[in-house]
Amino acid sequence: NNKWQFLNKSNQVAIKGPFENIKAFQNGITLVEHDGKQIIINNKGEMIRLKQGKPIFFSKGIIGVEVQKKKKYYYADASGQNLFGRYFREIHPFEKNSAKVKAFSETYTSKRYYGAVNTKGVTVVPPKFNTLHFQTDGTIIVNPQIYKGIVNKHGKVVLPIAYDQVLPVAPYDRSGREM
């Protein structure tokens, strides 16, 4: 019947469902689906109330939240509060401790650029790129206009933005085989 609940180490029910979908706990919270709605619970099974909006994803113990009427988004902590004290036009889950975002402005214009923030809310890549693609080694393929290049997780250019195409780096093991 695809219903889930959480068990403790003794295989006893620790958090009673039923949940249609669950994620692993991170920082004492997780995202679950209950009665068709995404909700956040703590490790006691208590629902975390968000300041506003609804959860859309859960990444690195941080909740991505959509405020529907205003078309803005924020990252929330385990208490449901706005973690960074600011809103974004678009947010994405964290990869390699950074997340792709578009800045929010009350005066919406169709052309907003991507940047990246770290899990502390610090801008690590300024919002001036048409695309950002996080690679497995922590570098980021960027495209500010026509050409592409690579920046590191601090926003410093490590491959000049002068190439028609830059492909993602595939992870390799020590013997050189692709993983």
Side-chain angles (χ1 to χ4, degrees), residues 7 9-11 25 30 33 47 52 55 61 72 78 92 103 145 176:
L7 303 178
K9 291 178 182 177
S10 304
N11 283 336
F25 277 91
T30 189
E33 186 176 337
M47 189 167 116
Q52 58 183 332
K72 61 184 178 181
H92 294 266
Q145 300 269 320

Side-chain angles (χ1 to χ4, degrees), residues 80-149:
Q81 297 298 309
N82 187 328
L83 183 61
F84 307 144
R86 60 182 167 151
Y87 295 93
F88 300 92
R89 176 68 55 206
E90 189 177 312
I91 61 175
H92 294 266
F94 284 87
E95 299 178 52
K96 302 289 180 186
N97 295 318
S98 295
K100 179 168 72 168
V101 297
K102 279 189 179 181
F104 179 80
S105 169
E106 292 293 341
T107 57
Y108 180 76
T109 61
S110 62
K111 193 62 174 175
R112 289 279 172 216
Y113 295 104
Y114 288 106
V117 296
N118 65 18
T119 55
K120 305 265 189 249
V122 176
T123 300
V124 292
V125 177
K128 60 182 185 180
F129 300 103
N130 288 325
T131 60
L132 288 178
H133 175 76
F134 293 93
Q135 299 192 102
T136 56
D137 67 352
T139 58
I140 306 163
I141 297 175
V142 295
N143 176 358
Q145 300 269 320
I146 298 170
Y147 299 109
K148 296 180 180 179

